[in-house]
Amino acid sequence: MEPSEVKTAEQALAVVDERRLSHVKVGVFDIDGILRGKWMGRDKFAGALNKGFGFCDVVLGWDSNDQLYDNVQVTGWHTGYPDAEVRLLPETCREVPFEGDMLFLLGEFAGKWEAVCPRATLRRMIDKAAGMGFGVKAACEYEFFLFDETPDSVRAKNYKDLKPLTPGFFGYSALRSSVHADLHLSFIEAMEQMGIPIEGLHTETGPGVMEAAIQVCDALEAADRGALFKTFAKVFFQRHEIMATFMSKWSMNYPGQSGHVHLSLTDAKGRPVFHDAKAADTMSDTMRWFVGGQQALMPELLAMTASTVNAYTRLIPGFWAPTDSTWGVENRTTALRVITGSPAAQRVEYRVASADSNPYLAMAAALGSGLWGIENRVEPGPAVVGNAYDRKHPARLALPRTLWDAAQRLKKSKAGRALFGDAFVEHFVATREWEEREFRRHVTDWEMQRYFEII
């Protein structure tokens, strides 16, 4: 049996035994979208498939640098950091490139921890869609920079004077992709082996930057693919002594890095519902209301799609990232790009999301707000034709300019709490407030250069 065919606990154990594996790799994604995992012995794995297993809940109580939050309730010194309940997901079984016959399975937090689990948060939105009679198709696409560096070299250089893998601005370069064909094709093959089919891979504008579009599928699997792509892209390139970064903006001289989410809905029989040949721009009522909800709630939910301090350096005019909650048809200057075409191809691209966002939370925000729009029949504002940066937009559509401001908008969002639950909102907002506080504890290079002598 192939790993991609596994659907049940019995099948997962059977394929492990077919490969005579003594251990299996398992993991869960934390609030920042970082994969936390371990090796698990075969016998323990067999038990965990049916009964779940314990995973120290500190992974929900610390940040991306393993520093403990001082402001969350789900775990902390006050709880003693017990094991969180985790259920293994047989349907996520896949091969691990570079590791022989090794298999990997995702887990999902259960029990009280499920309320703050990123994957479960998205799953609840998919369940909501199902309750409304919809299936959800989705795909992620990511921009990422490659550097001729190693984890040791970037630290030795204090993250300065880093060498991109290729020089200059050269988007969609057939030259670069031909020179590095062996590397690119090996990468595509590795992702394919892991069940992450790459629909398109090309250079973007900037030194060493790439863009990968992952093939469309059901939404939960699409988020799994997106989250695993980011982790194992780093693994692949580090094994070639190259570093990949998904941070939103590593230099103010170059465009930021996006993590766009593409979404469409189907009916109970799998037929697309966004396309209406007789409607303006072929947008059905369902699609129009979906876009209306996304536009209305984007400022309130921005923290879920731009979740780092650095993400807000990307959201500036003229650099292919939105500054207001706008929409347009085939318009890449807007936050929401309606892509028209055949019924199966018609979709909305949620362009505000950054490459460093948690794929589960970015997709949950994009989907949840769209469903809210359908429920409330929210009409979007006028579509932007031309350059959205040159227009004056209503104040209510302005996006928060800092992570702190975005967190406060989410904290006060009645729609956000109704969609995602008070427990999730309180926990996630607290982690973003922590992130902003950690940033403010440091003196930047800009401050030193501006103030050290002159002020």
Side-chain angles (χ1 to χ4, degrees):
M1 174 178 283
E2 293 299 317
S4 60
E5 299 173 323
V6 170
K7 303 299 178 189
T8 67
E10 293 74 16
Q11 291 172 335
L13 188 59
V15 74
V16 167
D17 288 341
E18 282 175 14
R19 296 175 178 230
R20 298 182 179 180
L21 298 177
S22 64
H23 289 75
V24 180
K25 187 170 282 187
V26 301
V28 289
F29 281 99
D30 69 13
I31 203 73
D32 285 297
I34 296 169
L35 184 60
R36 307 287 184 168
K38 59 183 176 180
W39 303 101
M40 183 178 284
R42 184 268 178 204
D43 291 343
K44 182 172 181 178
F45 175 75
L49 280 168
N50 294 305
K51 299 178 181 177
F53 69 99
F55 203 118
C56 181
D57 80 352
V58 73
V59 298
L60 291 172
W62 64 19
D63 64 15
S64 58
N65 201 38
D66 291 6
Q67 301 304 299
L68 298 172
Y69 299 129
D70 63 6
N71 60 343
V72 299
Q73 296 302 312
V74 72
T75 190
W77 294 118
H78 61 286
T79 67
Y81 295 105
D83 279 352
E85 300 171 33
V86 175
R87 67 174 72 91
L88 276 179
L89 307 168
E91 67 275 15
T92 66
C93 183
R94 57 218 323 133
E95 289 184 337
V96 183
F98 349 109
E99 297 183 23
D101 287 332
M102 182 51 56
L103 296 174
F104 173 87
L105 276 81
L106 276 172
E108 189 177 278
F109 290 103
K112 75 169 188 175
W113 298 270
E114 187 168 339
V116 301
C117 173
R119 191 178 191 275
T121 299
L122 172 59
R123 178 171 48 76
R124 288 191 289 272
M125 292 303 97
I126 296 170
D127 291 344
K128 178 180 177 66
M132 296 169 63
F134 299 121
V136 187
K137 297 294 184 182
C140 298
E141 63 177 61
Y142 290 106
E143 295 165 341
F144 55 100
F145 275 82
L146 298 176
F147 292 87
D148 187 12
E149 303 285 354
T150 68
D152 289 330
S153 73
V154 295
R155 286 165 172 81
K157 292 181 175 183
N158 197 27
Y159 298 92
K160 297 178 180 178
D161 301 319
L162 303 180
K163 181 184 177 184
L165 184 63
T166 57
F169 285 73
F170 209 165
Y172 299 96
S173 171
L175 172 61
R176 296 278 188 258
S177 61
S178 297
V179 169
H180 294 281
D182 289 347
L183 180 70
H184 291 180
L185 292 173
S186 294
F187 176 60
I188 291 171
E189 182 180 354
M191 294 298 102
E192 184 78 31
Q193 183 183 348
M194 202 169 184
I196 309 172
I198 303 300
E199 188 173 80
L201 180 71
H202 62 86
T203 64
E204 258 293 357
T205 183
V209 66
M210 303 290 297
E211 180 177 302
I214 305 171
Q215 197 174 98
V216 64
C217 59
D218 290 339
L220 195 56
E221 170 63 16
D224 288 342
R225 289 178 180 181
L228 290 167
F229 173 83
K230 290 173 62 177
T231 297
F232 284 91
K234 295 173 190 175
V235 172
F236 174 88
F237 288 110
Q238 286 191 29
R239 291 174 67 92
H240 288 78
E241 297 191 333
I242 297 167
M243 287 197 73
T245 182
F246 289 82
M247 69 182 293
S248 289
K249 197 102 167 177
W250 74 273
S251 169
M252 295 307 291
N253 296 322
Y254 309 117
Q257 299 180 98
S258 65
H260 299 162
V261 178
H262 293 250
L263 285 171
S264 64
L265 300 181
T266 63
D267 64 17
K269 294 183 178 180
R271 296 172 300 196
V273 299
F274 274 1
H275 187 274
D276 182 345
K278 297 179 181 179
D281 299 314
T282 67
M283 289 175 67
S284 67
D285 289 344
T286 300
M287 184 179 195
R288 197 176 67 253
W289 295 330
F290 190 87
V291 171
Q294 289 185 316
Q295 181 182 35
L297 294 188
M298 186 181 290
E300 298 178 28
L301 305 184
L302 185 64
M304 295 175 67
T305 59
S307 53
T308 66
V309 171
N310 182 249
Y312 294 81
T313 64
R314 169 180 165 262
L315 302 178
I316 58 175
F319 263 124
W320 302 103
T323 53
D324 296 272
S325 183
T326 54
W327 77 280
V329 177
E330 289 292 359
N331 192 334
R332 286 184 168 87
T333 70
T334 56
L336 298 165
R337 172 186 169 219
V338 169
I339 301 172
T340 57
S342 68
Q346 187 142 328
R347 62 196 186 274
V348 59
E349 180 185 30
Y350 201 86
R351 293 178 56 80
V352 73
S354 56
D356 57 11
S357 63
N358 184 325
Y360 297 107
L361 300 185
M363 195 173 292
L367 175 58
S369 57
L371 296 176
W372 180 86
I374 295 172
E375 284 183 316
N376 294 281
R377 299 194 172 194
V378 177
E379 293 290 345
V384 174
V385 178
N387 188 353
Y389 302 123
D390 288 343
R391 310 294 176 83
K392 184 175 178 61
H393 305 288
R396 62 183 172 79
L397 298 181
L399 298 177
R401 298 299 189 235
T402 68
L403 180 59
W404 183 270
D405 290 343
Q408 303 317 300
R409 290 293 299 273
L410 179 57
K411 181 187 286 188
K412 297 174 183 177
S413 174
K414 293 180 180 179
R417 289 179 180 273
L419 286 166
F420 309 117
D422 288 335
F424 170 80
V425 170
E426 291 294 336
H427 179 75
F428 183 70
V429 166
T431 68
R432 297 313 94 188
E433 290 175 341
W434 163 272
E435 190 77 8
E436 179 86 15
R437 284 196 287 123
E438 284 294 283
F439 170 68
R440 293 189 180 282
R441 292 176 57 239
H442 293 81
V443 177
T444 66
D445 291 345
W446 183 89
E447 290 170 286
M448 289 294 291
Q449 294 166 9
R450 191 172 185 88
Y451 302 129
F452 185 83
E453 177 185 6
I454 303 300
I455 203 71

